[in-house]
Amino acid sequence: MSDRPKLAVWKFSSCDGCQLSLLDCEDELLAIAGAVEIAYFLEATSAEIAGPYDVSLVEGSITTAHDVERIKQVRAQSKLLVSIGACATRGGIQALKNTADVDAFVNAVYAHPEYISTLETSTPIADHVPVDFELQGCPISKAQLLEVLTALLAGRRPRIPTYSVCVECKRSGTPCLLVRGIPCLGPVTQAGCGGLCPAYSRGCFGCFGPAESANPDALPLEVRSGFREALHA
C-alpha cells in the first residue's frame, strides 16, 4: 500500500475547466503524480481508491438535492477540502438562476422538463460544508493550483495573492485602461490571471472574483469615472 498522501478531485455542477487545469500542468504533472496518490479523478482515470483522502479538490456548485448530500460525504472523508474555481467558490454562471424563475428556464431549455430535478439556487461549496481553502478563477490558474497543492502537502499556508488585478498590470507595465476610457473591473478583481486581458487592451471582467481588500475610492478621479462606467456597462 502506498504511503503517499491521497488526492481526490470531485466534480459538481460545472464545465470541467478547472479540473483540466490540473491536467494542463504538463511537465509538473509527473512530479505531482510522484508526490501523491491520485485516488479519485474521473476526468483522468476510471480507477478509484477508497478514502479517507488527504486533500480533496472540489469543482462546481451545488445545484441539486443529490449534490447537497454528496458534498457532505466528500467533506466527511477529506482531511483538507479545497474548492476550486468560480462555480465552487461563488456559484458560477449557473447562479444566474438565483434571482430568476427557475421553472421558466427549465421549460425553455429541456424537451422534457418533468425529468429535471434542481434546487432553486446554485450555491458555493462553503455554503454547505467547511472549506479549508478557496482558489478563485474561471478557470483557475495552474500555477496557483500547484502552489496550493505544494503548500498543503508541506503543511504550510498557500501563498496566493489577495490584491487586485491592478497590481499585476503595474508590475507588467500595462497602462491603465480606465484612464484610456476602456471599461475595466481590475480595481475590484482578485489577481491571479497576470493581467492577461488588460495586456491586450481588453478590460478585465472579473474572472477571478472580488478582491478581498478592493478600495476603488482610492483611485484617481479620472480612473474612478471609468470604473463607474465599467460597473454599469
Side-chain angles (χ1 to χ4, degrees), residues 23-108:
L23 297 179
D24 285 343
C25 289
E26 298 172 346
D27 293 342
E28 300 92 340
L29 191 58
L30 292 177
I32 293 174
V36 302
E37 182 177 19
I38 300 179
Y40 185 90
F41 187 9
L42 295 185
E43 186 76 24
T45 175
S46 59
E48 297 183 29
I49 300 174
Y53 306 101
D54 293 278
V55 179
S56 277
L57 303 178
V58 180
E59 175 194 82
S61 63
I62 304 301
T63 60
T64 68
H66 178 257
D67 285 346
V68 174
E69 296 306 314
R70 184 165 168 254
I71 191 58
K72 291 177 181 178
Q73 294 171 5
V74 170
R75 175 69 270 188
Q77 57 186 332
S78 304
K79 294 180 182 178
L80 295 171
L81 189 149
V82 181
S83 55
I84 59 173
C87 294
T89 60
R90 303 288 177 182
I93 291 178
Q94 51 270 33
L96 290 171
K97 74 175 184 175
N98 294 2
T99 56
D101 186 337
V102 176
D103 289 335
F105 278 175
V106 171
N107 286 317

Side-chain angles (χ1 to χ4, degrees), residues 19-211:
Q19 293 183 75
L20 290 174
S21 294
L22 179 56
L23 297 179
D24 285 343
C25 289
E26 298 172 346
D27 293 342
E28 300 92 340
L29 191 58
L30 292 177
I32 293 174
V36 302
E37 182 177 19
I38 300 179
Y40 185 90
F41 187 9
L42 295 185
E43 186 76 24
T45 175
S46 59
E48 297 183 29
I49 300 174
Y53 306 101
D54 293 278
V55 179
S56 277
L57 303 178
V58 180
E59 175 194 82
S61 63
I62 304 301
T63 60
T64 68
H66 178 257
D67 285 346
V68 174
E69 296 306 314
R70 184 165 168 254
I71 191 58
K72 291 177 181 178
Q73 294 171 5
V74 170
R75 175 69 270 188
Q77 57 186 332
S78 304
K79 294 180 182 178
L80 295 171
L81 189 149
V82 181
S83 55
I84 59 173
C87 294
T89 60
R90 303 288 177 182
I93 291 178
Q94 51 270 33
L96 290 171
K97 74 175 184 175
N98 294 2
T99 56
D101 186 337
V102 176
D103 289 335
F105 278 175
V106 171
N107 286 317
V109 173
Y110 297 98
H112 293 282
E114 65 272 17
Y115 296 153
I116 305 301
S117 175
T118 183
L119 299 174
E120 293 293 317
T121 59
S122 172
T123 47
I125 300 301
D127 281 13
H128 302 271
V129 297
V131 170
D132 296 293
F133 197 83
E134 291 185 334
L135 193 57
Q136 311 287 346
C138 183
I140 56 173
S141 160
K142 71 175 186 179
Q144 289 190 356
L145 177 60
L146 288 171
E147 164 60 17
V148 168
L149 288 176
T150 301
L152 294 179
L153 293 173
R156 62 173 175 83
R157 183 170 179 80
R159 301 187 184 98
I160 300 298
T162 57
Y163 47 75
S164 73
V165 172
C166 292
V167 175
E168 294 184 310
C169 286
K170 290 179 182 297
R171 286 177 173 172
S172 63
T174 301
C176 180
L177 299 184
L178 291 172
V179 173
R180 295 157 57 188
I182 300 175
C184 181
L185 293 177
V188 295
T189 299
Q190 179 168 307
C193 64
L196 179 62
C197 290
Y200 291 92
S201 296
R202 179 178 181 181
C204 169
F205 50 92
C207 289
F208 275 69

